[in-house]
Amino acid sequence: MTSLPKASVRDTAGFLLDVFIPTAAKGPLLRRPRAEALAERLKLDQRAVRRMQELDRKYPEGPLLLRLPVRNQAVILRPGHLHAVLTQSPDPFSPASSEKRGALAHFEPRNVLASTGTERTVRRALHEQALDTSSPVHRFADTLLPVVREEADAMLAAAQAKGVLDWDVFSRCWQRAVPRIAFGDSARDDQELTKMLTRLRKDANWSVLKPRRTGVRDEFLRRVQERIDTAEPGSLASVMHSRPEPDAAAPQDQVPQWLFALETSGMAAIRALALLATHPNQALLASEEITNDSTGGRHLPFLRATVLESVRLWPTTPMILRQTTREVSWDTGTMPAKCGVLIFVPFFHRNHHRLPQADRFDPALWLRDDDQEDWGVVPFSAGPVSCPGRQLTLLLTSALLSCLLKDTSFAFQDGHRLSPGRPVPGELNPYSLRFTPTVRAGV
C-alpha cells in the first residue's frame, strides 16, 4: 500500500502557522472581532493563500498528508480532489469529524453535521424540508420577506438617526430578524435565548479543549424546544409541529444551526453592501434590478450573485472539514481510515492561476453557464453535504440589500480598502465597516 505524499516537518509547521492557526483564531463557531481586526491589519488571509500556493507548487500530485504526531491529516490542493471529497460525502468522507463533533457537542450534540448513518439521513431530510433546499424561493416567502423588510426599515431608521450604518446597527436589526424567521414574531426580542447560544458558541470555538456547560446546554435546548412547540405558521420551525415525539431527527438540535448560520449570513450581506458602495458599475446594475423588480424581492439574480461574490471573496466557512470512514485510494496513494481532510476554501476562491478574476468583484461569474467545478469555487460547499440553506440565505440577503438600496445610497467611509482599480483584499473585517446613508432626492 502506497501512502499519499507527505509534507516535510517545515512545510507542516508553515501550514499550521500561516493557515490553520490564524483561521481557527478568528472563531469557527463565533467570530472573534479582535482576531478579525488583527487578520485584516496583518493581511493574514493573503499570507495563508500564499502558503497554500507554495504547497501546491511543491506537492503538485496531492492530496497532501501533514506530518503530525497525533493524527493523520490531509490537505486538499486540487479542484478535482476537492470535488471528489465533496461529492463522496458523507461516505467515505464524513462531515462528522472529531473536531466538529467536539465543537457541536457544546450546543447541538445531535446536529446533522455531527451525525452518521440513519440518524444523519433523517436529520438531513428535516433540514431540507424546513429550509426548502431545492427551491430558490422558499414556500414561506410571503411570511419571511415581510420580516426582512420590517427589519431593513428599522435598520435604515437607526442608521439615519445615528448618521452611520455600522456593524452595531446592522447586526442588532438582523439579529432580531433571525429568530422571527426561525420561530415567528413572538421570538423577536428573546434575548435570553440569543445570549445562551452566544455563550455556548464561544465555548464551541475551543471544541474539546473547553469543558462543556451541560446545564446551560440542556436549558438552551429546552428553550429551543419550547420555541418549536409554539412556532408561528410560516416560520421555519412550524414545519416540525406534526413530527412524532420522540423523534430521531432531534429537531431541537437542528434549529440552533439555522440561528447561527443565518446570523453569519449577515456578514455576507454587509460585505456585499460594501462591494456595491465602492463599485459604481455594479451598483448601477443592482439599482436597475431593484427598480424593475416586480416579484417583491423573490427573484433578484444580480443581488444574489453579489452575495455569492461576497462569500467567494470572504468565505464565511473558510475551512471545510471531513474525516474518512475507511481507507480511500487515490492515484497518488492511499488515505488511511479516520484521516482528517481539510479544504481551505480561500485558496481555491483566490487562485488566480485558475480563476482570472480571483481578486476582483465580478458578480457576472454567477450569471454565466461556466462550470465552477473547474475552479473549485464552493461558497456554500457542494455535493450531498452542501449547505441546505443556500437558497434561503440568498433569498433573504438579496431581499435585505434590495430594501436597503431602494431609496438610499451608502458611501463607504473607508473607501481606500475597496476600489474597482485595486485587487479586492483578502480580508474585510465586518465589524469595522461604516457607511454614510443618504436618502436619494425625490424619495
Side-chain angles (χ1 to χ4, degrees), residues 67-184:
R67 203 172 291 270
L68 298 174
V70 293
R71 69 168 296 175
N72 290 310
Q73 178 67 55
V75 177
I76 300 300
L77 299 173
R78 289 282 184 267
H81 295 163
L82 177 154
H83 284 283
V85 169
L86 296 183
T87 56
Q88 296 180 72
S89 298
D91 184 50
F93 300 102
S94 172
S97 67
S98 301
E99 302 87 349
K100 198 178 297 180
R101 291 199 306 272
L104 297 184
H106 285 276
F107 66 100
E108 50 181 19
R110 296 181 294 171
N111 184 264
V112 62
L113 293 175
S115 304
T116 58
T118 303
E119 288 182 340
R120 187 195 180 282
T121 301
V122 173
R123 291 164 188 175
R124 174 73 187 197
L126 173 59
H127 281 270
E128 293 186 355
Q129 177 191 12
L131 301 177
D132 219 354
T133 296
S134 61
S135 177
V137 180
H138 197 283
R139 62 189 182 281
F140 293 158
D142 288 344
T143 301
L144 303 180
L145 291 180
V147 170
V148 173
R149 286 193 286 269
E150 289 173 18
E151 297 300 344
D153 288 344
M155 193 182 297
L156 288 169
Q160 291 290 348
K162 189 176 182 179
V164 64
L165 175 62
D166 56 12
W167 178 253
D168 181 59
V169 170
F170 185 97
S171 63
R172 192 184 319 125
C173 295
W174 184 246
Q175 287 177 1
R176 287 198 300 259
V178 169
R180 294 178 67 187
I181 290 165
F183 303 117

Side-chain angles (χ1 to χ4, degrees), residues 307-358:
V307 175
L308 282 165
E309 271 293 85
S310 171
V311 183
R312 178 184 72 83
L313 292 165
W314 305 291
T316 51
T317 304
M319 293 191 296
I320 298 176
L321 303 179
R322 296 288 187 266
Q323 187 166 302
T324 55
T325 59
R326 51 183 167 81
E327 288 186 353
V328 181
S329 296
W330 301 82
D331 292 341
T332 53
T334 300
M335 186 178 289
K338 297 184 180 180
C339 178
V341 181
L342 189 150
I343 297 168
F344 185 62
V345 177
F347 163 60
F348 293 95
H349 288 194
R350 294 299 191 104
N351 192 335
H352 60 270
H353 295 300
R354 299 190 180 98
L355 187 64
Q357 60 271 65

